[in-house]
């Protein structure tokens, strides 16, 4: 029995996955991915489409920012049975180089008889040529779409027609591995004196003093942790069990929210305190 290769366009997964579970496209930084759950779902769907062909590996295509991969991308790259292929982001936040990598990998694996089946999660017309070449080498290509039915119109019609078999992931399936993070929250409106003073200062456009800032920043860290979706909390707890640095994508939000709350730049001591409070809150949850 031949082997199956799974090819995942992460941009399509995040964009259409968010539409399916929320009704509208959600920006990437508000989405949380459970990487082990999505890997399990991809393998289960491949088994359904191919009748149980053994897995070669999953190829995951995603764009990384100039700052480097985020925590989810690092964990995906370290996952069993998965090869992470990195594209780039342009100035508009659009991924570049992903479609060509999918096409090249599909053609090369098919030409070398490394796979008998290809399972493709994508909607882009540009990958259709890879499907055609793979089929010419005898590979059966199966297409996974996201949405209720073909009328969702989030996949190229010609790509859909080219595939040998089709499968669609509904909201119930997608919500098993993708969730939406809460939008940034500001410190709660409470009656405790430090917060009230801080709010009054904010209303007047003035900055909180050092004593007020400590209380407000601590509250920001606490509410940030409370707002984390379950998967983010699990990832952070695992990360901080062996490391002392907060992942950049969470650190930037923490410091940004703290600056907004006290209406000025944080001092080095305040940045250190914000991070320490955040880490303690994560570990205590």
């Amino acid at each position: 029995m031949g082997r199956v290769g799974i090819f995942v366009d992460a941009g399509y997964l995040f964009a259409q996955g968010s539409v399916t579970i929320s009704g509208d496209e959600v920006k990437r930084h508000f989405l949380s991915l459970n990487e082990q759950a999505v890997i399990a779902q991809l393998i289960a769907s491949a088994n359904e489409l191919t009748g149980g062909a053994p897995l070669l590996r999953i190829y995951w295509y995603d764009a990384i920012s100039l700052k480097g991969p985020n925590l989810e991308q690092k964990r995906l790259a370290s996952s069993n049975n998965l090869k992470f292929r990195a594209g780039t982001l342009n100035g508009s936040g659009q991924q570049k180089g992903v479609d060509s990598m999918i096409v090249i990998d599909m053609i090369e694996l098919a030409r070398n008889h490394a796979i008998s089946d290809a399972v493709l999660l994508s909607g882009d017309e540009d990958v259709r040529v890879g499907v055609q070449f793979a089929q010419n080498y005898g590979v059966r290509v199966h297409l996974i779409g996201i949405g209720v039915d073909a009328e969702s119109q989030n996949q190229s019609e010609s790509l859909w027609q080219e595939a040998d078999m089709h499968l669609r992931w509904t909201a119930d399936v997608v919500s098993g591995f993708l969730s939406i993070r809460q939008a940034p929250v500001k410190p709660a409106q409470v009656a405790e004196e430090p917060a009230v003073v801080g709010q009054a200062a904010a209303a007047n456009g003035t900055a909180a003093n050092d004593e007020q800032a400590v209380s407000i920043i601590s509250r920001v860290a606490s509410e940030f942790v409370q707002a984390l979706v379950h998967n983010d909390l699990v990832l952070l707890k695992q990360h901080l069990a062996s490391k002392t640095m907060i992942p950049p994508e969470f650190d930037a939000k923490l410091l940004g929210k703290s600056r907004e709350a006290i209406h000025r730049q944080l001092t080095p001591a305040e940045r250190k305190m914000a991070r320490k409070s955040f880490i303690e809150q994560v570990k205590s949850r």
Side-chain angles (χ1 to χ4, degrees):
M1 181 181 290
R3 292 179 292 183
V4 57
I6 302 176
F7 306 84
V8 180
D9 179 348
Y12 173 80
L13 183 148
F14 282 106
Q16 299 307 323
S18 66
V19 171
T20 299
I21 62 177
S22 72
D24 198 6
E25 185 170 342
V26 178
K27 291 184 178 179
R28 179 73 172 266
H29 59 273
F30 286 132
L31 297 171
S32 177
L33 180 75
N34 184 323
E35 69 277 357
Q36 294 309 311
V38 74
I39 288 172
Q41 182 61 56
L42 285 164
I43 294 174
S45 294
N47 285 335
E48 179 181 346
L49 287 164
T50 67
L55 176 69
L56 174 64
R57 67 182 59 89
I58 298 168
Y59 293 84
W60 187 279
Y61 305 85
D62 200 3
I64 61 175
S65 70
L66 294 177
K67 297 179 181 179
N70 59 32
L71 180 59
E72 287 174 351
Q73 292 170 331
K74 289 178 181 178
R75 288 176 60 85
L76 277 164
S78 301
S79 297
N80 294 334
N81 300 314
L82 186 145
K83 182 176 287 293
F84 188 92
R85 298 287 206 208
T88 58
L89 289 173
N90 64 14
S92 301
Q94 298 172 320
Q95 62 181 22
K96 294 296 180 181
V98 165
D99 292 339
S100 59
M101 287 190 290
I102 295 176
V103 169
I104 290 170
D105 283 342
M106 288 184 67
I107 293 174
E108 284 299 295
L109 290 168
R111 184 176 65 85
N112 291 320
H113 306 291
I115 57 174
S116 60
D117 294 83
V119 173
L120 174 64
L121 177 64
S122 178
D124 202 316
E125 163 72 19
D126 291 342
V127 302
R128 182 169 64 93
V129 63
V131 173
Q132 292 173 322
F133 271 91
Q135 289 171 327
N136 288 341
Y137 285 115
V139 172
R140 286 179 58 79
V141 181
H142 317 284
L143 186 66
I144 296 178
I146 298 178
V148 177
D149 50 41
E151 294 179 359
S152 300
Q153 297 182 342
N154 57 33
Q155 287 179 300
S156 159
E157 182 178 1
S158 58
L159 176 63
W160 180 267
Q161 293 171 346
E162 207 73 54
D164 294 294
M165 292 187 67
H166 309 92
L167 180 67
R168 283 201 168 266
W169 284 353
T170 64
D172 287 342
V173 173
V174 176
S175 61
F177 58 78
L178 189 67
S179 55
I180 299 174
R181 296 167 174 149
Q182 294 185 26
V185 295
K186 296 182 179 181
Q189 302 286 331
V190 296
E192 297 174 71
E193 183 177 352
V196 171
V197 173
Q199 291 157 10
N204 293 326
T206 59
N209 61 38
D210 292 345
E211 184 177 350
Q212 295 164 356
V214 168
S215 176
I216 294 171
I217 292 171
S218 178
R219 192 180 304 279
V220 167
S222 176
E223 295 199 359
F224 188 11
V225 173
Q226 291 174 19
L228 292 172
V229 297
H230 176 72
N231 187 58
D232 282 350
L233 185 60
V234 171
L235 293 181
L236 282 167
K237 287 174 75 74
Q238 293 173 348
H239 174 83
L240 294 172
S242 59
K243 297 179 175 61
T244 58
M245 300 292 290
I246 302 172
E249 61 268 29
F250 292 96
D251 188 60
K253 291 178 183 177
L254 171 66
L255 299 184
K257 289 159 63 68
S258 297
R259 285 194 301 270
E260 291 177 2
I262 65 174
H263 283 254
R264 62 169 171 78
Q265 294 294 323
L266 276 65
T267 67
E270 288 167 347
R271 289 196 296 270
K272 182 177 180 180
M273 187 274 293
R275 288 165 172 152
K276 181 174 183 292
S277 179
F278 179 84
I279 291 172
E280 289 175 347
Q281 290 283 340
V282 169
K283 290 183 175 180
S284 67
R285 292 288 297 273

